[in-house]
């Protein structure tokens, strides 16, 4: 069984609360919240006030916040106060990763680090003992609905092997291009958490997709 973290980037924002509740009732254990700044990635999504509203409306939800922004350090506190459960930031961002992890810990959130397709898994190795979750991108960050890049599978396998060798316990998450076809490849390679945006929210029966992905 995989943990499912539906990416609400592909939800109908006019009905965002209902879309989140539907995903949670279908068995999603997290909600993936994609923050884009138009600088680190060539797109802009949503930010702190939207998370605060969702957290107020659904206080029990686990918010898996994925910061695709150049300066995560400046925003950790604001997202933590708004209700982030876990804060994921990119190793490729401009801030010192140690300082960002310190801020996440001080804010009382779980911490995750993310790598884009061009970054080797080994670059994460020095940070693994500080992480609750590692996120491997299956697409270039910035947009939903892209095709999965199989290079993510080798990275998942390498990170799983390293986790085992060092007796660590972080979760392995994969994001981008995850659907009924690619999800089994990801879990086989070692993914514990599957992020899925368009596969869930563009489906005729999103709840059924959440359930099917969880059973992979
Ligand atoms: C991409 C985002 C993803 C995106 C995934 O930059 O980080 O979370 O929503 O969308 P799908 O599942 O459609 O590839
Ligand atoms: Zn994401």
């Amino acid at each position: 069984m995989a943990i499912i973290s539906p990416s609400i980037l592909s939800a109908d924002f006019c009905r965002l609360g209902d879309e989140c509740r539907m995903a949670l009732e279908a068995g999603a254990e997290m909600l993936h919240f994609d923050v884009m700044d138009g600088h680190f990635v060539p797109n802009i999504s949503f930010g702190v006030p939207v998370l605060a509203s969702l957290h107020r409306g659904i206080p029990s939800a686990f918010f898996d916040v994925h910061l695709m922004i150049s300066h995560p350090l400046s925003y950790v506190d604001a997202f933590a106060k708004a209700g982030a459960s876990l804060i994921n930031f990119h190793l490729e961002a401009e801030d010192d990763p140690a300082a960002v992890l310190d801020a996440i810990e001080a804010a009382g959130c779980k911490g995750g680090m993310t790598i884009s397709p061009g970054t080797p898994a080994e670059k994460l190795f020095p940070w693994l003992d500080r992480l609750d979750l590692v996120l491997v991108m299956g697409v270039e960050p910035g947009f939903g609905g892209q095709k999965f890049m199989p290079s993510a599978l080798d990275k998942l396998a390498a990170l799983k092997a390293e986790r085992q060798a060092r007796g660590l316990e972080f979760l392995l998450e994969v994001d981008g291009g995850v659907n009924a076809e690619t999800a089994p490849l990801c879990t086989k390679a070692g993914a514990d958490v599957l992020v899925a945006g368009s596969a869930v929210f563009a489906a005729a029966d999103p709840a059924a997709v959440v359930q099917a992905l969880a059973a992979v």
Side-chain angles (χ1 to χ4, degrees):
M1 289 291 285
I3 295 170
I4 307 304
S5 189
S7 167
I8 61 173
L9 185 64
S10 294
D12 176 357
F13 295 160
C14 197
R15 309 173 39 249
L16 191 51
D18 289 344
E19 297 265 76
C20 289
R21 287 187 195 92
M22 173 280 298
L24 293 167
E25 277 163 24
E29 292 181 41
M30 304 179 179
L31 293 171
H32 188 80
F33 190 89
D34 284 308
V35 180
M36 304 181 186
D37 64 355
H39 185 258
F40 182 75
V41 291
N43 196 8
I44 295 175
S45 56
F46 38 63
V48 172
V50 176
L51 180 62
S53 283
L54 288 174
H55 176 60
R56 261 196 307 277
I58 318 174
S60 59
F62 186 104
F63 288 102
D64 166 27
V65 175
H66 178 193
L67 298 180
M68 287 164 276
I69 66 178
S70 296
H71 293 290
L73 187 54
S74 308
Y75 296 92
V76 164
D77 282 349
F79 280 103
K81 281 199 188 82
S85 311
L86 179 143
I87 298 181
N88 257 314
F89 65 101
H90 275 255
L91 182 58
E92 305 89 358
E94 291 175 33
D95 296 334
D96 171 24
V100 182
L101 287 171
D102 288 346
I104 293 171
E105 277 167 28
C109 294
K110 292 187 185 298
M113 278 174 81
T114 307
I115 48 169
S116 292
T119 304
E122 292 70 25
K123 291 260 187 201
L124 281 172
F125 286 5
W127 304 103
L128 294 179
D129 55 352
R130 293 194 65 182
L131 300 177
D132 297 295
L133 179 144
V134 165
L135 170 52
V136 174
M137 293 302 299
V139 301
E140 287 296 343
F143 298 90
Q146 303 180 74
K147 196 171 173 324
F148 182 76
M149 297 164 76
S151 55
L153 299 173
D154 290 341
K155 295 188 199 179
L156 289 167
L159 285 157
K160 185 181 178 182
E162 185 71 7
R163 176 175 67 184
Q164 196 167 349
R166 288 164 56 182
L168 299 173
E169 291 186 346
F170 58 84
L171 289 171
L172 262 172
E173 180 176 60
V174 61
D175 177 16
V178 176
N179 54 34
E181 192 186 322
T182 57
L185 308 176
C186 292
T187 52
K188 199 167 164 229
D192 309 295
V193 186
L194 303 174
V195 176
S198 50
V200 170
F201 291 106
D205 187 349
V209 175
V210 171
Q211 285 157 6
L213 289 175
V216 160

